[in-house]
Amino acid sequence: MQLRLHKFWALSLLVAFVSSCAPSNEKPNILWITIEDTSPHFIGCYGNEDAKTPVIDQLASEGVRFTNAFSTGTVCSPSRTAIITGVKTYKTGTGNHRSAIAVPEYMKGYPYYLQQQGYYTSNNKKTDYNVGDEKAYTAEAWHECADTAGWWNKAEGQPFFAVFNFMDSHQSRTMTHTYAWYKKQVLTKLPEEERIAENDFDMPPFYNDTPKMRKQFARVYNSLKLTDNKVGALLQRLEADGLKDNTIIFFYADHGEGIPRGKTNGINLGYRVPFIAWFPEKFKHLSPWGTGGVVTDELVSFEDLAPTVISLAGREIPKHMTGRTMMGRKPSKEAEHLVLSSDRADNGIDMVRTVTNGKYVYSRNFMPYLPEVRYIRYMEISDIKQQMRRDYEQNKLNDVQKKLFEARAHEYLYNIEDDEWELNNLVNDAAHQELLSDMRQLLKKEMLESRDILLMPEYELELLADSIPPYEYRLGADYAIDEILESAWLAGDRTDDALVKQINNLSHANQIVRYWAAVGLRSQSDDVLKRYEEEIKQAMSDDYAPVAITTAAIAYNQFADENAEALIKDYCMHSDNNLALMAIHYLMYVDNKMPFVDTVKASRELEGRDYNPKAAAVDFLGSLGLMPNNPSYRQ
C-alpha cells in the first residue's frame, strides 16, 4: 500500500512538472498603450538623460525595448489606418490624412478577428481611420469605443484586448495650442519638482537656441512627463484589478514627434517611434527575445501589429495581411528592411517614400519643390512655427536651420546611428554610392510590386473609390504602374535627359503619367523651364484637371502668364475640394501671391468647402499677414 502511494505521488509530481513546462493554451489578455506624436529621442530609456519618464523606463527595464520600430506614416490617421487594417496605406489608398477611402468588405479591422477568438475588444478611444463609413467600420471592430471603454466591462473570465490612447503628448500640447492653454492643461497638472525647466535640456540643432524657442520646446518634455504619469495610473489599475499577471502589454507612439520637422515629414524623426513589449511570467515563453530589460534592434513596422496580436489570440492570419508575426509560438523571419510612406497631412499635399534598414534611412521626395516645414495650417498657428518663420525672415538662422524653409533635395540618405538629428545628407558622398543605389532599387521594387496606388492624385483616387476599392483596382491591368512610376521617378532629377522625358510625357496617353510629368517640371530650375515655355503653356489646356492646374502654376510663376493666372483662379473656385486644394496649394509656393487674394478669400467662403481647402486658404492669407496665425483662425 505504501509503495502504491509513493508511485501515485511521483506520478502526480511528474504530471505537474510537465504541465508547468508545457506552453499554456490559455489566451493572454493584451493591453495596448498608445501615446501621441512621440519620437524615442525624448524618452529616458532611449538615452535622453533630460527626460523624466520613470514609468515608461521601468516598463522597458522589465520587458523588451525595440530600437528600430517605425510607424508606416508620419501623421495619425494614416498610421492608425495601417494598424487597424493590417495593410500599408499605399496599397489601400488610405494614406492621405483624414480621407475616407473604401476598403474591400473582407478587410475587417483586426479586433474583429480577436472577437472571433472570444476576446472582449475595447478602445479608449481614438479611431481616426481613413476608410469609407468609418462609423460602421469602427462598430464592427470594437465591442466598445468610448472614453469609458476598458477591460472592466468584459464578461467574467473573458480575455480582453484593450487599447488606451493618451493625448497628453499630442502636437496640440507640444506646439499648436496657445502657451496659456498648455500651461493650464499640462504644466499646472505637474508638481513643481516634476517639471522640466526651459534650460534643462539640449535643443535639437536644427532649431535656433534662444529663450523664446526654449520656452516652446520645454512643452515636449513636460507633456511627456504628464503622459508618463497617466500611463503609471493605468498600470496601477491593471494591477489592482488582479490582471497584470495575465496580460501582455504593448507601449508605443503613433508616429514621430509633434514638432516642426518631425510629424508629417518623411524622415526618421517623422517615422521612428518608441516601442516596448512587456510579458508576465506565465507568458514569457511567447517572447523570442527574452525579458528583463532586453534590447532588440529587430525591425518593426505598424504593418506587423495586427498579424501579431491575431496570432497571439490563436487565430489564422487573414491573407491580405502581409506583415510579420513578431512573437508567439511561430514568430516570422526578421525583416531586412522596411518601406514607409508619408502623404498629405491636413492641407499639406506631399508624397515621400522611405526605405530603412535600421542604420540608414533613404527617403525619396516626389515633390521636392516643397520645404521640410511646408505650409500646414495646424502647424502654422503655433507659436514655435511663427517664431521660426520670423527668425528666418530676419536672417537669424544658421545654414542648417535655414534649410528647413528651402526646397528639399529629391533624395535623402542619413546614417541615423551616427547622425541622430539627420543633418548630413550622404546622397553625394562617394563612400555611400553603392548603398544609395541598393536602397533606390529596393524602394522602386516595392512600389512596383505593391502597385503603389497613392501615385494617383487624391482627386482621381476619390473618383475611383466611388466604384471600386483602390486596393483592388491597383491589381488590375488598367493601372499602368510601370509607366506611372517611371514618370514619377523623374521628379527632382534635374538632368537634361530627365527634362526631355518630362516634356515628352506631357503628351502621353495616360493622364497620370502626364500629371507626374507636370509635377516633375515644377521642380526644375527656372532657366531650363524657359526653353520649354510653349510646351508648358500648351499643357494648360489638358482635359485632365491636375495636369492643367500644375502646368498653370509653373506658367504663372516662371512666365507670369495671364492665362495661367486666370486658370488657377478658376480652379480655386472649383466645387471639387481636391482640385481647389491643389490650386491653392501651388499658390503657397509662387513668388507673387497678391493677384490671388480676393479669389482665395472667396474660395474659402464657398458653400460645401471642407477643411483642407479652407485651411489652405487661411495659410495663404496668413502668409501675407492678411489673417492672424493663431488657433482661432484654424480654417
Side-chain angles (χ1 to χ4, degrees):
M1 181 69 178
Q2 192 175 17
L3 182 60
R4 287 179 184 172
L5 283 173
H6 280 307
K7 287 182 177 179
F8 171 78
W9 287 114
L11 181 61
S12 298
L13 289 170
L14 178 63
V15 169
F17 175 75
V18 170
S19 298
S20 68
C21 293
S24 170
N25 290 322
E26 180 183 355
K27 289 184 172 67
N29 300 319
I30 303 171
L31 171 62
W32 274 14
I33 302 173
T34 310
I35 68 171
E36 300 263 354
D37 302 13
T38 301
S39 297
H41 304 57
F42 304 102
I43 294 179
C45 61
Y46 281 91
N48 189 317
E49 296 179 358
D50 302 324
K52 294 182 179 180
T53 51
V55 174
I56 298 169
D57 298 347
Q58 182 174 349
L59 200 65
S61 71
E62 297 172 357
V64 183
R65 179 167 63 85
F66 294 78
T67 60
N68 280 321
F70 296 84
S71 168
T72 42
T74 60
V75 69
C76 50
S77 66
S79 299
R80 291 168 189 274
T81 306
I83 292 171
I84 195 72
T85 61
V87 183
K88 289 184 176 179
T89 57
Y90 54 77
K91 293 182 180 180
T92 55
T94 57
N96 291 309
H97 190 201
R98 304 245 162 88
S99 52
I101 300 297
V103 296
E105 193 279 333
Y106 58 79
M107 193 178 287
K108 311 290 188 184
Y110 71 87
Y112 169 87
Y113 305 106
L114 301 182
Q115 290 182 29
Q116 292 181 326
Q117 296 302 104
Y119 274 77
Y120 185 79
T121 63
S122 66
N123 181 358
N124 191 325
K125 69 176 181 174
K126 191 166 183 178
T127 54
D128 234 0
Y129 310 139
N130 294 336
V131 297
D133 199 352
E134 181 187 1
K135 185 175 181 180
Y137 195 83
T138 299
E140 186 178 43
W142 304 100
H143 282 113
E144 59 173 340
C145 182
D147 55 11
T148 56
W151 62 75
W152 40 84
N153 294 323
K154 71 183 183 66
E156 184 69 27
Q158 183 180 18
F160 70 80
F161 174 79
V163 172
F164 287 83
N165 187 85
F166 291 98
M167 286 288 293
D168 302 276
S169 55
H170 186 259
Q171 180 182 4
S172 55
R173 280 70 168 169
T174 59
M175 64 175 280
T176 303
H177 287 353
T178 65
Y179 191 86
W181 187 97
Y182 151 79
K183 190 173 180 179
K184 180 179 179 181
Q185 297 297 328
V186 176
L187 202 58
T188 58
K189 295 183 179 181
L190 291 173
E192 191 76 36
E193 66 275 10
E194 292 186 357
R195 299 177 189 176
I196 291 87
E198 294 166 14
N199 290 315
D200 288 351
F201 54 85
D202 292 330
M203 281 286 279
F206 49 81
Y207 291 149
N208 193 10
D209 193 350
T210 65
K212 288 181 179 179
M213 287 291 289
R214 283 188 163 274
K215 176 182 177 180
Q216 297 302 323
F217 201 79
R219 294 169 63 160
V220 170
Y221 285 94
N222 286 309
S223 297
L224 262 173
K225 175 55 185 166
L226 183 60
T227 302
D228 191 76
N229 290 352
K230 292 190 176 183
V231 171
L234 179 69
L235 294 177
Q236 286 175 4
R237 180 165 185 176
L238 182 73
E239 191 159 15
D241 287 351
L243 295 169
K244 192 172 181 182
D245 290 343
N246 298 302
T247 303
I248 297 174
I249 302 169
F250 293 81
F251 166 88
Y252 63 95
D254 62 345
H255 50 71
E257 196 65 43
I259 53 175
R261 202 183 181 232
K263 180 179 181 178
T264 78
N265 196 27
I267 61 174
N268 182 60
L269 191 61
Y271 295 116
R272 189 183 287 262
V273 296
F275 192 97
I276 297 165
W278 184 93
F279 298 83
E281 186 66 34
K282 68 162 58 176
F283 293 119
K284 281 186 176 181
H285 61 281
L286 297 176
S287 169
W289 313 278
T291 57
V294 66
V295 178
T296 175
D297 62 0
E298 184 173 321
L299 293 166
V300 173
S301 161
F302 280 0
E303 185 189 27
D304 305 332
L305 300 187
T308 295
V309 296
I310 291 171
S311 175
L312 288 174
R315 190 195 186 280
E316 185 178 346
I317 298 165
K319 290 181 180 178
H320 63 267
M321 294 184 183
T322 57
R324 297 177 52 247
T325 301
M326 296 188 295
M327 61 191 71
R329 293 174 179 85
K330 294 181 179 179
S332 305
K333 180 183 177 183
E334 291 186 26
E336 294 181 357
H337 68 274
L338 302 174
V339 177
L340 313 169
S341 58
S342 183
D343 296 282
R344 178 182 57 75
D346 278 344
N347 55 290
I349 295 172
D350 197 12
M351 181 173 166
V352 183
R353 296 293 178 265
T354 301
V355 177
T356 183
N357 59 12
K359 180 176 180 178
Y360 289 91
V361 162
Y362 168 77
S363 290
R364 192 173 191 100
N365 300 307
F366 286 85
M367 298 178 180
Y369 63 89
L370 296 171
E372 287 193 277
V373 289
R374 66 195 190 279
Y375 282 97
I376 300 175
R377 188 64 188 159
Y378 192 57
M379 291 187 164
E380 293 301 319
I381 60 179
S382 67
D383 290 339
I384 193 170
K385 187 81 172 283
Q386 292 173 53
Q387 184 61 50
M388 291 170 68
R389 286 202 183 278
R390 282 194 295 271
D391 287 349
Y392 178 69
E393 291 162 3
Q394 295 169 13
N395 199 30
K396 293 180 178 179
L397 304 180
N398 62 33
D399 289 343
V400 168
Q401 295 154 4
K402 285 178 183 177
K403 278 187 178 180
L404 304 191
F405 295 93
E406 297 164 355
R408 295 174 294 188
H410 81 288
E411 294 178 299
Y412 291 137
L413 179 65
Y414 293 118
N415 180 336
I416 49 179
E417 283 188 357
D418 299 338
D419 182 14
E420 178 185 22
W421 297 114
E422 296 168 276
L423 306 179
N424 183 24
N425 187 3
L426 300 170
V427 163
N428 296 317
D429 184 80
H432 290 85
Q433 292 309 297
E434 184 177 353
L435 174 67
L436 176 64
S437 177
D438 289 347
M439 296 189 104
R440 280 177 183 151
Q441 295 312 307
L442 283 172
L443 178 60
K444 196 169 190 179
K445 182 172 183 286
E446 168 64 12
M447 292 182 74
L448 286 170
E449 291 182 353
S450 67
R451 303 178 69 82
D452 190 326
I453 194 65
L454 286 170
L455 285 161
M456 282 193 170
E458 195 168 1
Y459 161 75
E460 184 73 19
L461 199 63
E462 288 196 2
L463 292 177
L464 175 68
D466 287 340
S467 58
I468 182 174
Y471 178 83
E472 294 181 336
Y473 174 83
R474 78 189 216 288
L475 300 174
D478 287 344
Y479 188 47
I481 181 63
D482 296 87
E483 293 177 312
I484 291 169
L485 183 57
E486 281 303 315
S487 185
W489 202 258
L490 297 171
D493 186 340
R494 294 183 173 87
T495 62
D496 286 342
D497 182 57
L499 178 64
V500 170
K501 288 178 180 177
Q502 287 167 338
I503 293 296
N504 290 338
N505 279 343
L506 285 178
S507 57
H508 197 280
N510 185 292
Q511 60 193 19
I512 311 301
V513 171
R514 300 199 303 273
Y515 165 72
W516 276 108
V519 172
L521 287 168
R522 177 61 184 80
S523 296
Q524 294 287 5
S525 61
D526 293 350
D527 56 334
V528 300
L529 288 173
K530 289 176 183 176
R531 306 201 314 251
Y532 296 97
E533 182 173 347
E534 182 179 344
E535 290 87 345
I536 291 168
K537 287 181 178 179
Q538 185 176 346
M540 294 190 324
S541 62
D542 196 297
D543 59 6
Y544 188 54
V547 176
I549 296 169
T550 306
T551 51
I554 299 169
Y556 171 74
N557 198 49
Q558 266 67 32
F559 316 133
D561 185 79
E562 291 182 0
N563 292 330
E565 179 181 326
L567 187 62
I568 295 171
K569 287 178 177 178
D570 286 345
Y571 276 109
C572 285
M573 298 300 293
H574 201 285
S575 60
D576 185 284
N577 282 300
N578 286 312
L579 295 180
L581 171 62
M582 182 179 286
I584 299 171
H585 160 83
Y586 281 126
L587 291 180
M588 297 304 309
Y589 304 99
V590 300
D591 297 328
N592 182 15
K593 297 180 175 65
M594 293 309 296
F596 299 94
V597 169
D598 290 340
T599 301
V600 172
K601 284 181 179 179
S603 175
R604 177 173 173 255
E605 300 301 325
L606 274 184
E607 186 176 352
R609 274 290 177 256
D610 65 17
Y611 172 81
N612 293 326
K614 288 174 70 174
V618 182
D619 261 348
F620 176 90
L621 297 169
S623 71
L624 295 170
L626 300 175
M627 190 164 282
N629 287 319
N630 63 52
S632 297
Y633 293 85
R634 185 175 169 188
Q635 59 173 313

